[in-house]
Amino acid sequence: MSETAELVLGSFGAMQSAFLSVYLFLSKRRNTKNLLLTLFFLFITLRIVKSLLWVYLDQVPQWFLNLGFVAHSASGPLLFLYLIYFMRDKSWKGIHLLHFLPSAVLLLLLFYLNEANFWYKGGYSALLYQQLTYALLTLGLLVFSFGRRRREESLAKLANRDWLWLSVLVLGVFSIQLAYFSNYLLGLTPYLAGPVVYGVFVFAIAFFAVTERQTGSSEGQLVKYGNIHLEAKEFDRIRNRIETLMVAEKPYLEADFSLESLSELVGTARYIVSHVINKGFKTNFSDLINSYRVEEAKSKLSSDAFRNIKIAQIAYECGFNSLSSFNASFKKHTGTTPSYFRDHQS
């Protein structure tokens, strides 16, 4: 490939990443995922610009070269964490800052490190191994999660277009990390192969980011069960099966009874059972189970046979694992307390 083509494609990748970073920063969405992706595109921009300047300019300040390496060291962890938060939709955990400890150290030494005393003495090799490790972890997480998408409720919420968005993003970044690794440690590819390949992928990445809402409202806030299609007959069969189980076998009396347990009894994937509960019973799994437990408790509280049994014991026998959760659920479903309910039975 000619130097002109390398420069054009590399510059295109840098500009597109810069655009995405600014676009995300100026958006109204303020959440962990949006911040991670904003920083990721910013640091990828710095890394590519560093590479282009190093190749095409005779003199580049050493501190700016080091800043490019700092950005490189942070890009892998940022994408890895973005993938986790996209699929799990959880709040930020402080312990995840440990992923950026190498970046923090490099930033502190920004004006002291140079090619002679660090980067050509194993520093750059360590950086490339670190980033390839994160790239492989991210790719592995994507493949593993895709394989479990029908067995985990949080993954089942992701539509096909979301999996496509994640695939394009992860493969695009994997290509740039692999290219840098292949160039310096294996000697198989040109130095600018990474920015060039990324420049090809970034067009699709930008298209998804802007037109498919994948960078903000869609991630973790998808239309629930939008990709589940059940025939009415099958939907009714599962709903009736759940009702029959609750009445005949009373599995809710077990304190550790879970959605996974119910799906095994029904013989249907957990995300489908959850979908049927939400749509067919107009509630969620927890409230559905607690409603059956409360009905069981009402039966015992109004029975003379249980007149001398403590309310706490009845709560545990009905499947609640604490008296406080029993009292809260009982009042939610009946509008009164267990003791008041018992005292006013004729």
Side-chain angles (χ1 to χ4, degrees):
M1 181 178 291
S2 67
E3 290 185 356
T4 302
E6 286 184 343
L7 179 60
V8 169
L9 285 174
S11 300
F12 176 74
M15 288 187 293
Q16 285 283 49
S17 285
F19 163 74
L20 289 172
S21 180
V22 173
Y23 171 79
L24 290 168
F25 179 77
L26 296 178
S27 71
K28 296 180 180 180
R29 306 178 184 107
R30 293 291 182 266
N31 53 49
T32 300
K33 296 178 287 296
N34 188 74
L35 176 60
L36 288 170
L37 202 58
T38 300
L39 292 175
F40 168 76
F41 283 123
L42 173 62
F43 289 161
I44 283 291
T45 301
L46 290 174
R47 180 62 176 101
I48 294 176
V49 169
K50 175 265 171 190
S51 296
L52 294 173
L53 293 180
W54 188 78
V55 171
Y56 290 103
L57 290 185
D58 293 332
Q59 292 186 342
V60 182
Q62 185 62 52
W63 68 265
F64 187 82
L65 295 178
N66 289 341
L67 185 62
F69 292 130
V70 172
H72 196 170
S73 70
S75 61
L78 283 168
L79 183 62
F80 179 69
L81 292 175
Y82 171 76
L83 190 65
I84 291 176
Y85 283 98
F86 186 105
M87 295 188 296
R88 304 296 178 183
D89 197 28
K90 295 182 178 180
S91 58
W92 173 258
K93 293 183 179 179
I95 194 172
H96 286 159
L97 288 173
L98 293 177
H99 288 279
F100 304 101
L101 186 59
S103 305
V105 173
L106 292 178
L107 188 60
L108 288 174
L109 300 175
L110 188 68
F111 296 98
Y112 299 96
L113 301 179
N114 57 53
E115 296 172 348
N117 69 15
F118 184 74
W119 296 111
Y120 288 163
K121 290 189 175 181
Y124 188 46
S125 297
L127 172 64
L128 294 176
Y129 275 110
Q130 179 220 22
Q131 289 308 294
L132 184 63
T133 298
Y134 270 105
L136 289 171
L137 285 174
T138 305
L139 182 61
L141 176 61
L142 178 64
V143 173
F144 175 78
S145 300
F146 184 77
R148 293 183 58 85
R149 69 191 187 284
R150 297 192 180 279
R151 296 192 293 273
E152 291 191 25
E153 185 177 355
S154 60
L155 300 177
K157 298 176 184 178
L158 298 179
N160 290 335
R161 299 190 73 87
D162 298 289
W163 290 108
L164 183 58
W165 151 252
L166 293 176
S167 298
V168 171
L169 179 63
V170 171
L171 289 175
V173 175
F174 180 80
S175 68
I176 190 174
Q177 302 294 9
L178 182 61
Y180 278 122
F181 184 91
S182 176
N183 164 257
Y184 188 76
L185 293 174
L186 303 180
L188 298 177
T189 55
Y191 178 69
L192 290 180
V196 168
V197 175
Y198 179 73
V200 175
F201 272 95
V202 78
F203 178 79
I205 292 172
F207 175 81
F208 269 97
V210 176
T211 64
E212 298 300 322
R213 300 175 295 120
Q214 300 294 350
T215 57
S217 62
S218 178
E219 54 186 305
Q221 299 176 27
L222 309 170
V223 178
K224 199 171 185 180
Y225 309 111
N227 57 337
I228 296 179
H229 302 285
L230 284 178
E231 293 183 359
K233 185 176 180 179
E234 178 65 7
F235 184 95
D236 291 339
R237 184 194 69 80
I238 296 173
R239 187 183 188 283
N240 293 336
R241 175 61 175 155
I242 293 173
E243 286 185 322
T244 301
L245 280 169
M246 293 298 107
V247 174
E249 300 184 22
K250 299 184 177 182
Y252 53 83
L253 296 180
E254 297 295 330
D256 59 351
F257 186 64
S258 63
L259 180 59
E260 184 70 32
S261 303
L262 178 58
S263 66
E264 291 178 2
L265 291 175
V266 175
T268 304
R270 184 173 66 175
Y271 75 98
I272 293 180
V273 173
S274 180
H275 167 63
V276 172
I277 290 174
N278 276 260
K279 300 297 183 181
F281 294 89
K282 306 300 180 183
T283 186
N284 56 43
F285 171 79
S286 180
D287 279 347
L288 177 67
I289 297 305
N290 284 339
S291 68
Y292 279 103
R293 288 170 174 167
V294 167
E295 289 302 315
E296 186 73 18
K298 287 169 61 179
S299 177
K300 294 183 185 307
L301 289 171
S302 59
S303 172
D304 290 337
F306 289 86
R307 177 62 59 181
N308 296 321
I309 303 299
K310 292 183 177 180
I311 290 179
Q313 183 177 338
I314 291 177
Y316 296 133
E317 289 181 359
C318 292
F320 290 96
N321 53 23
S322 71
L323 183 59
S324 60
S325 62
F326 170 61
N327 288 334
S329 293
F330 194 94
K331 188 164 187 179
K332 177 180 179 179
H333 289 279
T334 67
T336 187
T337 63
S339 57
Y340 184 90
F341 179 85
R342 168 184 266 179
D343 292 343
H344 289 77
Q345 297 304 302
S346 55

